[in-house]
Amino acid sequence: MKKSNKLVVSLRVNGLAYEVLAEPHEKLLGVLREHIGLKGVKSGCEEGECGACAILLDGEPVTSCMMLAGAAEGKEIITIEGLAKGGELHPLQEAFMKYHGMQCGYCTPGAIIAAKGLLDKNPNPTDQEVREGFSGNLCRCGSYPKMVKSVLEAAKVLSA
Ligand code: FES
Ligand code: FES
């Protein structure tokens, strides 16, 4: 009988503690989606190229498809589900809705996470800095101009 070599992985996600039984090679993306049920973390290329799976890890946007779940132990993970507070959407989420920063919406959670990482470090970015902040986010719908506008408008709200 094959002995299970699964590991208990302790994660802190959106302020809550989780313990999951994961394969040693299991990626953080799969653990967040399949074990914890955070389906807002999207699976795209699974090669670190599209940014659909982006999360904040200790405040830094990272691609969860490129990271082993175990490597995230002891770090603070924020997913798109963790941005709304007390039933209120985050200003970035509000702005993406108001300024049509999405079409199909598949890239949107990763894009908003990238934008949050940017605004946390640089509360008043230029248009160019926002564009550069999306360099790791592929939007097949070509919504970039409206995504940039959404971030710039959210920055105004956040710094008002
Ligand atoms: S799914 Fe992770 S970067 Fe594309
Ligand atoms: S809105 Fe469709 S991929 Fe970006």
Side-chain angles (χ1 to χ4, degrees):
M1 193 165 66
K2 189 173 179 294
K3 200 174 163 196
S4 169
N5 59 353
K6 287 187 176 179
L7 306 170
V8 175
V9 179
S10 303
L11 297 174
R12 190 161 176 82
V13 188
N14 300 331
L16 298 175
Y18 295 89
E19 287 204 334
V20 300
L21 203 54
E23 301 288 348
H25 60 269
E26 215 165 336
K27 297 292 173 54
L28 182 57
L29 169 62
V31 167
L32 291 171
R33 284 180 57 84
E34 308 307 332
H35 294 253
I36 301 181
L38 296 171
K39 303 286 188 179
V41 188
K42 298 298 182 199
S43 172
C45 65
E46 300 200 9
E47 294 181 346
E49 300 292 336
C50 74
C53 65
I55 55 146
L56 292 173
L57 191 75
D58 283 348
E60 288 292 330
V62 300
T63 49
S64 60
C65 70
M66 297 300 286
M67 181 167 194
L68 292 175
E73 281 193 321
K75 299 183 187 294
E76 194 67 40
I77 297 167
I78 303 288
T79 72
I80 190 69
E81 291 89 346
L83 295 195
K85 297 279 182 244
E88 299 265 319
L89 291 178
H90 187 278
L92 275 165
Q93 294 169 306
E94 292 279 8
F96 267 69
M97 287 172 57
K98 186 169 176 188
Y99 298 101
H100 308 288
M102 83 273 287
Q103 288 185 53
C104 78
Y106 200 81
C107 71
T108 310
I112 290 178
I113 286 290
K116 169 97 168 62
L118 172 71
L119 294 187
D120 286 348
K121 285 207 186 86
N122 179 1
N124 291 298
T126 63
D127 184 283
Q128 183 60 27
E129 286 169 336
V130 176
R131 281 174 201 281
E132 286 167 9
F134 284 138
S135 60
N137 298 86
L138 178 66
C139 176
R140 293 178 198 279
C141 300
S143 296
Y144 293 109
K146 289 180 177 172
M147 290 160 61
V148 171
K149 179 172 174 58
S150 302
V151 177
L152 292 172
E153 293 297 331
K156 284 185 203 159
V157 171
L158 284 163
S159 58

